[in-house]
Amino acid sequence: MTIEALTPDELDDLARRAQQGDRDALEALLAAVRPRALNVCRGVLPHLPDAEDACQDALINIANKIGSWGGRGRFTTWMHVVAVNSARTTYRRMKNQATAADPQEVGPLERPDPRTTSVIAGTRLDLLDAMETIEKDHPQFVEPLLLRDVYGMSYEEIAEQVGAPLGTIKAQIHHGRRLARPLLRGE
């Protein structure tokens, strides 16, 4: 059986074996989820080299933190959250480096092309900036909002992943959207 053909149950089994210290299972698991982790990272960081850096960080985090996967839900749901957080961390690091750089070396900023960008969020970077702003005062809204609206996870998957009741998740997403709209419009 090829790695691409692994079912969710087989991935969960590999993850359980990796949690128990099976190095071969861990290697097979990381190889199997790498394409999915890269896609998640590309959803946040459109520039491929940046997404690849974030993906590498995500795989390292998965390997180091596999013991924290509780086995309640699918391993891929847990992996998805790890990859999102790795991509956001990479974005923050890059943003901090750009802020610290000499503005004369950076050059003029390009405006997004209105023909190819969202009407509400000019770029994914606008969305990430909005999430950073919301996270300062309302961190509980950010993860559910990103998982639902950016990655299309079901409410049930999100509730299972974050360990909160379904109604709470729906309310957090609703409030997160209310907070994000004016930020994405530049208000």
Side-chain angles (χ1 to χ4, degrees), residues 55-130:
C55 179
Q56 186 65 32
D57 290 343
L59 295 175
I60 290 168
N61 287 332
I62 289 167
N64 290 334
K65 298 177 181 181
I66 194 155
S68 68
W69 173 57
R72 293 185 317 264
R74 290 285 182 196
F75 172 78
T76 51
T77 302
W78 178 83
M79 183 256 4
H80 197 106
V81 173
V82 172
V84 167
N85 289 335
S86 295
R88 291 180 65 218
T89 299
T90 299
Y91 169 75
R92 283 187 199 113
R93 184 181 69 242
M94 291 171 27
K95 182 178 175 183
N96 289 339
Q97 289 170 347
T99 302
D102 182 1
Q104 293 176 346
E105 291 178 19
V106 174
L109 297 177
E110 293 182 25
R111 295 298 310 154
D113 182 346
R115 297 169 296 170
T116 60
T117 55
S118 165
V119 174
I120 296 174
T123 66
R124 287 182 213 160
L125 301 180
D126 293 341
L127 176 63
L128 290 172
D129 286 340

Side-chain angles (χ1 to χ4, degrees), residues 40 43-45 80-81 83-89 91-92 124-132 134-135 138-155 158 162 169 172-174 176-177 180 184:
V40 169
V44 176
L45 300 163
H80 197 106
V81 173
V84 167
N85 289 335
S86 295
R88 291 180 65 218
T89 299
Y91 169 75
R92 283 187 199 113
R124 287 182 213 160
L125 301 180
D126 293 341
L127 176 63
L128 290 172
D129 286 340
M131 294 301 106
E132 292 285 316
I134 292 170
E135 191 169 39
H138 307 284
Q140 71 276 19
F141 300 149
V142 173
E143 184 176 6
L145 183 60
L146 284 173
L147 294 175
R148 178 69 185 150
D149 288 355
V150 176
Y151 295 101
M153 292 176 72
S154 72
Y155 291 110
I158 297 166
V162 301
I169 292 301
Q172 287 176 337
I173 292 168
H174 171 75
R177 287 174 178 157
L184 294 173

